[in-house]
Amino acid sequence: MADSRTPAQSPAGVNPLVLVVGGGAAGNAVTVLLRRAGIAVDLIEARPDWNSTTGSGITLQGNALRVLRELGVWERLEASGHAFGSLGVTAPDGTVLFVAEDLRTGGDDLPATLGMQRPRLQQILIDAVRASGAGVRLGTTADSLDQDADGVSVRFSDGTTGRYDLVIAADGLNSATRAAIGITDRPEPTGMAIWRVAAPRPASVIRTDLAYGGPAFIAGYCPTGADTLYAYVVEACRDRASVDPAAYADEMRRLAQGYGGAWPEITEHITDPKKVNYTWFHHLLVEGSWHRGRVVLVGDAAHCCPPTLAQGAAMSLEDALVLAELLSAGRDWDDELFQAYYDRRIPRVRTVVEASLQIGRWQLDGVRDADMAGLVGRTMSLLRERP
């Protein structure tokens, strides 16, 4: 790829060039942050349509918003989503049992939580990448990586090649880059699955409400804008062969009909199976290090967890922030730097992964006296600290 940009000088006095593999939240964020530091970046994304984002909505808590503000996109996010500061817990019939104030994990000058439509978030990040001056190629993968002491030679799926000082693997849960550099960890299912759908927002929905029990483990929703929300139902995962995509709306509607409150209004709109997303929950935590030579993992390529704490995107965005900070600090890009990145991230990420898994296990095992509020409170208090 020809590059007319003027990057910062590396500690060795050369102009570093970074390849980011994957154009999701982590890849987009690290690209913008590195470009802001004057480092040249090429980003490749396997999908020809960069914003073919699946899923209906996303819950962004304060620590995620803190990173997104660093990217310079907070004002657009605020205008596009729905901010709120509390969480309701209801009985399956819709009776509100209690409302808890959310901790502002991003600081007091940001909302505790922002709900928004996933495609809208992705488009805002895409626009930020485009504006940063990064090179972007869609419908492109890295077919081979050949490392030496100074960098990585990459052969792309279109037959072209490139030479990079660093490759950042942001290619998600089933990262081909992770496998290519010899990290054998793979995501494992947790035993739970989720049905999601976007729908019009009833006027009564002003925050996330969660109902535990009933036909499923959890039924919840999150407002994503002035008149939109996404709703979800969590159950034990099924054999995928037994779930006909043409019946997705029927299946989700059947489960949702067991809930009261705002759910009858929401359920009326669960009609199009193409708008219903069914996904198993997985978990992954790569231990020891997140790099091999000059290839380093960020986001879901290194770790993932069920969304029981709504922290998956936040952890990925924090990875991008910390890695970009270290790469732009004037240090040599060596094993010591990449290990420092891992050492800084792993205690925080492990806490989130383990807490998210624990909440799911309690539900799968039917534990009724679990200290869920205590676990959530301790975890969120930790996340208020900067990554």
Side-chain angles (χ1 to χ4, degrees), residues 196-234:
R196 295 183 177 98
V197 71
R201 176 164 74 92
S204 62
V205 174
I206 58 173
R207 61 173 182 260
T208 287
D209 287 319
L210 300 175
Y212 292 93
F217 293 119
I218 307 170
Y221 44 74
C222 174
T224 55
D227 54 8
T228 60
L229 59 68
Y230 78 100
Y232 46 91
V233 181
V234 179

Side-chain angles (χ1 to χ4, degrees), residues 73-81 116 120 123-124 127-128:
V73 300
W74 164 239
E75 288 76 13
R76 292 188 66 189
L77 292 172
E78 185 178 27
S80 300
M116 69 183 308
R120 183 61 182 151
Q123 190 59 54
I124 289 171
D127 292 346

Side-chain angles (χ1 to χ4, degrees), residues 104-321:
R104 292 177 178 253
T105 54
D108 293 338
D109 55 343
L110 286 168
T113 310
L114 183 84
M116 69 183 308
Q117 298 173 51
R118 277 183 181 271
R120 183 61 182 151
L121 171 62
Q122 176 69 351
Q123 190 59 54
I124 289 171
L125 293 176
I126 287 170
D127 292 346
V129 171
R130 295 285 195 194
S132 77
V136 175
R137 289 167 65 178
L138 305 180
T140 304
T141 59
D143 282 1
S144 68
L145 305 172
D146 184 15
Q147 296 199 57
D148 57 34
D150 299 318
V152 187
S153 297
V154 182
R155 178 172 294 279
F156 298 102
S157 54
D158 61 4
T160 61
T161 60
R163 176 72 177 174
Y164 294 91
D165 297 276
L166 178 68
V167 174
I168 298 176
D171 49 343
L173 185 64
N174 297 304
S175 170
T177 314
R178 181 181 64 227
I181 60 174
I183 297 178
T184 58
D185 303 73
R186 295 180 59 83
E188 297 181 2
T190 70
M192 303 178 88
I194 189 168
W195 299 88
R196 295 183 177 98
V197 71
R201 176 164 74 92
S204 62
V205 174
I206 58 173
R207 61 173 182 260
T208 287
D209 287 319
L210 300 175
Y212 292 93
F217 293 119
I218 307 170
Y221 44 74
C222 174
T224 55
D227 54 8
T228 60
L229 59 68
Y230 78 100
Y232 46 91
V233 181
V234 179
E235 63 168 2
C237 63
R238 312 180 192 186
D239 181 350
R240 283 196 176 92
S242 71
V243 184
D244 180 3
Y248 275 11
D250 294 339
E251 286 296 307
M252 184 174 183
R253 190 170 58 251
R254 179 183 63 80
L255 291 167
Q257 283 171 342
Y259 295 93
W263 275 100
E265 291 181 76
I266 295 169
T267 303
E268 289 178 5
H269 300 280
I270 306 176
T271 56
D272 185 348
K274 293 180 181 178
K275 294 182 179 179
V276 176
N277 175 260
Y278 174 74
T279 309
W280 284 13
F281 288 169
H282 289 82
H283 69 96
L284 169 72
L285 184 60
V286 176
E287 297 275 10
S289 71
W290 291 347
H291 79 287
R292 297 292 185 273
R294 290 291 187 102
V295 182
V296 61
L297 311 180
V298 295
D300 285 354
H303 52 79
C304 73
C305 56
T308 45
L309 285 171
Q311 277 290 316
M315 291 298 99
S316 294
L317 290 166
E318 287 186 359
D319 285 355
L321 181 70

